[in-house]
Amino acid sequence: MRYADLHCDALSAGPPRAFLRGKKTAVSFDKLVGGGCFLQCFAIFTPDGDPRAAREMLAAYRRERAGLEAAGVTPVLTVENGGIFARDGKLLDELRRAGLKMSGFTWNGENELGFPCGAAGGLKYPGRRLAEALFAGGIYADVSHLSDGGFDDLAAIAACFRVPLVASHSLARAACPHPRNLTDGQIREIARSGGLVGVNFVREFIGEKGIFAHIRHILNVGGEEVLAIGTDFDGTENPLYAGADEMPRFFDDLAAAGIPFSVAEKLAFRNAERLFL
């Protein structure tokens, strides 16, 4: 089955010159094509919000974009850790012109925009201004890594703009009580907005119940239209599936777990098509 992936860290997995050419990375050109990927979100990510590093990743993305499209893989540019925008006011316009489709706000620590998952506090004033700029520019906001208070602040702004929220790589807190996972209320709000939850392959967030418990729970709470994939390939060590070339095995496991084919299709690509194509 073909699939769309809302989040990977291939751009930051090694030197920009080696983007999509590494043999040990979870995502490469050959693995994407071999695994059946037709849409891949590539996150510009720097842990410290370094604009210089972000521009190097942007250049790498631009070099490979045409080759991916020729091979039938639609590349989508995103950002993880929007702190880069607080440190360089010109960068948002640069990335928007390059086709930026989605941006997060924080990573694992507090930054100029707000607070990360598990922390008290919501969006700071610059974070609220960034949210308004993103929505005004037709760019989705990514709630993954954001604190619960930040989620609430962002949801209120998104409701004013009548735009969907996306959790590019998140799971269900009810299935595994990790702060990186979403509460039922957050899943419902994302679904209400017409957005997506991209389920990830991070063992730490999956927990003992397994990934299909998360998928079933998100399905029961948010409905079929909210489900998507956000692997977090190259952003985690020892993922549940080793790389993009193992995605066919994931879909075999999905069928074996009793997930109906119609739901699997929506999870795999149909819901993502609605927002990203």
Side-chain angles (χ1 to χ4, degrees):
M1 185 183 295
R2 65 180 186 146
Y3 74 94
D5 179 9
L6 303 189
H7 183 83
C8 80
D9 285 295
L11 276 170
S12 55
R17 65 179 180 278
F19 174 51
L20 296 182
R21 304 303 171 188
K23 294 182 179 180
K24 295 182 179 180
T25 55
V27 173
S28 68
F29 186 92
D30 291 340
K31 288 179 180 179
L32 287 172
V33 174
C37 182
F38 92 99
L39 185 149
Q40 179 64 63
C41 292
F42 293 102
I44 288 178
F45 165 69
T46 68
D48 56 355
D50 179 6
R52 179 192 58 79
R55 286 189 172 90
E56 291 177 352
M57 292 178 206
L58 174 60
Y61 171 83
R62 282 173 161 156
R63 285 196 299 270
E64 299 294 338
R65 182 167 52 189
L68 286 165
E69 291 172 343
V73 181
T74 299
V76 176
L77 186 65
T78 68
V79 165
E80 183 176 35
N81 189 3
I84 58 173
F85 300 127
R87 299 187 180 190
D88 189 326
K90 298 179 181 179
L91 197 50
L92 180 57
D93 283 339
E94 290 179 32
L95 294 184
R96 183 189 288 118
R97 289 194 297 270
L100 180 67
K101 192 68 175 178
M102 178 170 62
S103 178
F105 290 74
T106 60
W107 186 49
N108 290 339
E110 177 186 353
N111 65 9
E112 296 91 339
L113 304 179
F115 296 85
C117 60
L123 288 179
K124 300 177 182 179
Y125 178 74
R128 293 171 181 270
R129 292 296 303 272
L130 175 63
E132 293 169 354
L134 293 176
F135 296 147
I139 300 167
Y140 301 126
D142 183 359
V143 304
S144 291
H145 285 285
L146 194 57
S147 67
D148 289 352
F151 181 100
D152 293 342
D153 292 340
L154 189 58
I157 300 170
C160 291
F161 280 82
R162 298 183 180 180
V163 294
L165 293 171
V166 179
S168 68
H169 56 303
S170 295
L171 294 169
R173 207 174 297 180
C176 177
H178 194 288
R180 263 286 281 113
N181 295 337
L182 299 168
T183 67
D184 286 1
Q186 291 169 344
I187 295 170
R188 291 191 189 98
E189 179 60 25
I190 292 170
R192 185 208 60 76
S193 75
L196 299 173
V197 176
V199 297
N200 65 51
F201 294 159
V202 181
R203 292 180 187 270
E204 180 184 0
F205 307 154
I206 292 170
E208 297 180 355
K209 293 182 180 179
I211 191 169
F212 301 113
H214 288 269
I215 291 172
R216 291 190 187 96
H217 188 81
I218 295 169
L219 176 64
N220 290 336
V221 173
E224 297 180 4
E225 308 302 321
V226 79
L227 284 168
I229 295 170
T231 62
D232 204 12
F233 280 148
D234 288 317
T236 181
E237 297 180 0
N238 190 28
L240 186 62
Y241 297 89
D245 53 334
E246 289 198 357
M247 289 302 293
R249 183 164 69 86
F250 166 67
F251 293 116
D252 287 344
D253 293 346
L254 196 66
I259 304 297
F261 182 78
S262 59
V263 174
E265 274 195 328
K266 290 183 178 182
L267 167 69
F269 64 90
R270 293 202 182 280
N271 290 339
E273 279 182 323
R274 185 179 76 246
L275 263 64
F276 287 89
L277 288 181

